[in-house]
Amino acid sequence: MADFLEILTHGRRLKAQVKELELDELKDVIAKLQKIAEEREAEAEAEEAAQAERLAKIEAIRKQLEEDGISVDELNALEGATPRRKRAPRPPKYQIEVDGEMITWTGQGRTPKAIKEKLDQGHSLEEFLIEQ
């Protein structure tokens, strides 16, 4: 790809590469390149217009805030005013004793190996409920 771009952007190399083309073929290549260039220009103009529209909207909002007596700093302060709270850990719902060690489980997430083994042996989950 780098070689292709090097040929395309270098005048003498490009001339050497297209000397085998017939005039009609050369005009066709030129037309295709021109079409690509026009598409790129249209895309750039559309992007520029979208950016200008975005800036205009931002400016309108800034003016409205200014008219209402609200500063940007106040808006930024609101952003940090309500920090997300971590939820409290769930209390264990099930427990099983294995080799003198109590293994607890909330009922969510992966089932502990000891409880899973007992369930596979035919025990029911209700047997491991923690009584409250």
Side-chain angles (χ1 to χ4, degrees), residues 7-129:
I7 291 169
L8 234 133
T9 56
H10 193 272
R12 279 188 254 150
R13 290 182 183 165
L14 182 60
K15 187 176 180 180
Q17 292 295 319
V18 297
K19 72 178 180 182
E20 300 292 323
L21 293 176
E22 295 290 327
L23 187 57
D24 290 340
E25 293 172 325
L26 185 58
K27 286 182 179 180
D28 189 40
V29 169
I30 292 170
K32 289 177 183 176
L33 286 173
Q34 186 63 38
K35 183 178 178 186
I36 291 170
E38 289 169 359
E39 288 173 357
R40 286 262 182 101
E41 285 178 359
E43 287 173 5
E45 288 173 2
E47 190 175 311
E48 200 173 292
Q51 182 67 11
E53 183 179 336
R54 183 174 184 270
L55 290 175
K57 286 180 181 178
I58 290 171
E59 183 61 24
I61 291 170
R62 189 190 63 73
K63 283 183 181 178
Q64 184 178 7
L65 288 173
E66 191 175 289
E67 289 172 3
D68 293 340
I70 301 171
S71 72
V72 176
D73 293 333
E74 289 175 313
L75 287 178
N76 290 336
L78 285 177
E79 200 172 276
T82 56
R84 292 187 59 163
R85 293 185 201 145
K86 246 185 169 178
R87 67 171 178 79
R90 295 187 182 276
K93 190 173 181 181
Y94 304 99
Q95 73 180 10
I96 186 171
E97 185 174 341
V98 178
D99 299 327
E101 180 185 354
M102 287 300 251
I103 298 173
T104 59
W105 180 47
T106 62
Q108 293 189 339
R110 179 177 270 169
T111 309
K113 187 176 180 181
I115 294 177
K116 184 166 176 25
E117 287 173 356
K118 292 288 186 178
L119 292 174
D120 291 343
Q121 292 173 5
H123 294 270
S124 75
L125 195 56
E126 286 75 32
E127 294 177 34
F128 307 112
L129 272 172

